[in-house]
Amino acid sequence: MSLRIGSARTFFAPFGSYFPIFVFSYFFFECHLHKLSWLVCFFLINWHYLGIILLKCYGFDADFWQKPRNPLRTQMDYYTSVIFILLLALLVLSILISENSRISLRKKRLFIGANLLIALSAMAECVGVHLNGNPDFPKWLLAAVKALDYTLTPMTGGVFIALMEKPKDKNHLLACLLLGNAAMQAVSAPFGWMVIIDDDHCYSHGPLYPLYIVFYCLTILLLAVQMASYGKSFRRQNRMSLYATIGLVLTGIAIQEVLGNGRRVAYLALTLGAAFLYIHYCEFSQLKLDDELTEQQKKLAIDPLTGSLSRFAYMDALTALENHVPENLAVFLVDVNGLKAVNDAIGHDAGDELICGTARCVENTLGRDGQTFRIGGDEFVVLTDMTQTQAEAALAALKRETKSWSGENVSDLSVSAGYALAQTHPGQSVEALVNEADQAMYAQKQDYYLHFGRDRRRYRDGK
């Protein structure tokens, strides 16, 4: 039999959409998924030429495109066009994934791997449909293509499951299912146990096909279970779109497998599912990262020792008041007297006790209606709204509060405090008010040491 190159390329080229697959392999290589991707790439680019050589060696006439024997052959132009657009869609999706710097390398590999498996499975199905009912090609070629189709299809679901697993998770049941199915397809293909090909070169399901359906359904069940588990990591209101995505994929598979009659929409549903899952992962994973960032910022805003606001929160508060200082703003600075002597005499635990006691006293008096920040070791700042009369009354209340305070290691507490009011310093910035309050506080501290000369605090151990 003569082989006409043009007619053979007519067969291999329509669904030989090798350019998208070439780019898939390129992105695989860029993500360091596997060095063999270039070998796969070479095969996929040149598969129509390899097919021509193979057919010529066997002496088959490849001029079958103009001799449609399959009743579905009249729909092949439309079906092949759908497969071609599907491959291009997977290509675009893979480009988007490769360009996303927020996705980890592992996730990129899995997403692009899923796209490649969908593409290869769709092409295998397309080739099988074209070979079905065409006696110009050997039966074993149709059997091999169907075996490849039945091997790759469950693997696509396996990659989706891997996408939703944590990096350290190992799904041994899934691995056993996929490897068992691949072995079953390889063994069954030569003997017609999975696919029976009649004299008209039309295939039908063999005696082991129900076992394949069991493997397929178990993979789908694992996918549904993993999807439900994966959805729990998102907010409740964000799970519906995830479950709708798996519903779309399962509906497409059900239409093809149950209704049949040329309704080949499974890979279209898988392609849409891959795109929607990627969108969901990007959108809601970013929301999750934003929540984690907000939680970290909250932790940074709280001083871990005293529970007061931290210096980080203090800098944010100053920034917020940078362009507008309220008329009634009052700034207080408070510093513990004799902290170093306590640390040297009985240890830092006692010093921490003084700092925490100061924080409580300040929050209960000066900071009752404002914000209390610990900005240094024993230094506190309070931002609040007060008049001068209220500020003096608050300082008197702080003095009473510290005198009545008593700790486990230290029996009394002494602090120096100063304040500045926006009313008495019109037009000054909040930083200028802080400096004024700082000077007033240090004037009181100097007065404290001038009168007492040394720390006369009483300690619980009698020192």
Side-chain angles (χ1 to χ4, degrees):
M1 296 183 183
S2 63
L3 176 70
R4 287 190 285 276
I5 299 297
S7 60
R9 292 192 62 178
T10 303
F11 166 62
F12 287 99
F15 39 90
S17 309
Y18 43 81
F19 177 72
I21 307 301
F22 170 78
V23 184
F24 285 144
S25 299
Y26 169 77
F27 287 122
F28 260 53
F29 183 79
E30 286 296 303
C31 293
H32 308 289
L33 181 63
H34 202 288
K35 301 302 182 183
L36 290 178
S37 59
W38 283 107
L39 182 60
V40 176
C41 173
F42 171 79
F43 172 76
L44 291 171
I45 292 175
N46 298 284
W47 72 324
H48 55 284
Y49 297 113
L50 295 174
I52 291 169
I53 295 172
L54 180 65
L55 294 175
K56 189 171 183 178
C57 291
Y58 278 86
F60 290 101
D61 184 6
D63 188 15
F64 66 93
W65 191 263
Q66 299 174 359
K67 298 186 276 185
R69 297 177 178 86
N70 191 328
L72 294 177
R73 193 60 52 79
T74 55
Q75 302 177 10
M76 285 303 102
D77 288 341
Y78 176 77
Y79 175 61
T80 303
S81 300
V82 171
I83 294 297
F84 180 75
I85 296 300
L86 181 149
L87 294 175
L88 288 180
L90 290 170
L91 168 63
V92 173
L93 182 59
S94 297
I95 294 174
L96 289 173
I97 294 169
S98 68
E99 292 177 345
N100 193 334
S101 59
R102 296 181 300 176
I103 299 179
S104 66
L105 180 60
R106 175 182 177 272
K107 285 294 182 182
K108 284 186 178 182
R109 293 173 179 176
L110 289 174
F111 272 117
I112 298 178
N115 295 344
L116 181 57
L117 275 178
I118 294 172
L120 292 174
S121 301
M123 292 168 61
E125 180 189 80
C126 186
V127 172
V129 170
H130 279 275
L131 291 177
N132 189 33
N134 195 311
D136 294 327
F137 287 89
K139 294 181 179 180
W140 63 261
L141 182 60
L142 177 57
V145 169
K146 295 307 297 181
L148 180 63
D149 181 12
Y150 293 160
T151 300
L152 293 178
T153 301
M155 287 185 178
T156 304
V159 174
F160 277 114
I161 294 174
L163 276 171
M164 294 177 285
E165 287 181 335
K166 295 179 180 179
K168 295 182 180 180
D169 289 347
K170 301 294 182 182
N171 198 323
H172 298 291
L173 177 58
L174 175 65
C176 291
L177 283 175
L178 297 180
L179 290 176
N181 177 64
M184 180 178 66
Q185 299 299 335
V187 173
S188 301
F191 303 102
W193 297 340
M194 188 64 58
V195 174
I196 300 174
I197 303 175
D198 59 22
D199 294 336
D200 293 328
H201 286 240
C202 294
Y203 75 87
S204 58
H205 298 146
L208 290 185
Y209 184 77
L211 185 58
Y212 165 71
I213 293 298
V214 172
F215 279 99
Y216 196 15
C217 291
L218 286 175
T219 304
I220 293 175
L221 179 60
L222 287 177
L223 176 60
V225 170
Q226 185 62 40
M227 185 74 79
S229 176
Y230 177 67
K232 293 179 181 178
S233 62
F234 298 97
R235 300 172 182 171
R236 184 179 298 273
Q237 63 269 26
N238 296 337
R239 298 175 189 173
M240 185 57 67
S241 58
L242 189 64
Y243 300 148
T245 299
I246 187 62
L248 168 68
V249 173
L250 294 179
T251 300
I253 294 173
I255 290 175
Q256 176 166 323
E257 298 297 332
V258 177
L259 299 180
N261 291 330
R263 297 181 177 91
R264 298 185 176 276
V265 295
Y267 292 109
L268 179 60
L270 282 170
T271 301
L272 292 173
F276 293 151
L277 185 61
Y278 170 70
I279 293 171
H280 186 279
Y281 178 82
C282 291
E283 183 67 21
F284 297 120
S285 291
Q286 186 60 43
L287 289 176
K288 187 178 179 182
L289 290 175
D290 292 343
D291 289 342
E292 292 175 354
L293 180 60
T294 301
E295 187 65 27
Q296 290 176 356
Q297 289 176 336
K298 287 180 180 179
K299 292 179 180 179
L300 288 174
I302 301 299
D303 178 61
L305 176 63
T306 64
S308 301
L309 295 174
S310 67
R311 184 175 183 85
F312 178 81
Y314 171 68
M315 299 305 296
D316 284 346
L318 291 187
T319 302
L321 296 171
E322 197 172 53
N323 298 322
H324 175 68
V325 178
E327 293 182 1
N328 293 329
L329 178 66
V331 179
F332 291 87
L333 259 81
V334 181
D335 192 272
V336 181
N337 292 327
L339 178 65
K340 184 178 184 303
V342 173
N343 286 333
D344 293 341
I346 56 176
H348 288 275
D349 288 342
D352 290 345
E353 186 179 63
L354 281 181
I355 293 172
C356 292
T358 302
R360 300 291 80 77
C361 293
V362 171
E363 289 173 351
N364 293 336
T365 55
L366 307 180
R368 184 181 296 274
D369 298 319
Q371 294 177 303
T372 301
F373 306 90
R374 182 190 176 205
I375 64 170
D378 61 345
E379 194 170 11
F380 294 84
V381 172
V382 176
L383 301 178
T384 185
D385 288 339
M386 284 188 185
T387 62
Q388 187 163 5
T389 302
Q390 291 171 329
E392 292 293 340
L395 283 179
L398 175 63
K399 188 174 182 180
R400 293 192 299 272
E401 187 86 9
T402 55
K403 280 189 175 182
S404 63
W405 180 87
S406 180
E408 294 181 1
N409 300 302
V410 185
S411 61
D412 60 2
L413 173 63
S414 175
V415 299
S416 296
Y419 72 91
L421 303 176
Q423 288 180 338
T424 57
H425 299 82
Q428 289 196 12
S429 65
V430 64
E431 288 86 355
L433 293 177
V434 171
N435 290 333
E436 292 288 342
D438 188 53
Q439 292 176 14
M441 182 269 291
Y442 272 104
Q444 190 179 104
K445 184 176 282 289
Q446 287 178 352
D447 186 63
Y448 169 82
Y449 285 110
L450 180 65
H451 283 79
F452 292 98
R454 62 184 179 87
D455 183 39
R456 297 186 179 181
R457 184 177 288 105
R458 297 185 302 277
Y459 307 130
R460 290 296 185 188
D461 59 2
K463 293 181 180 180

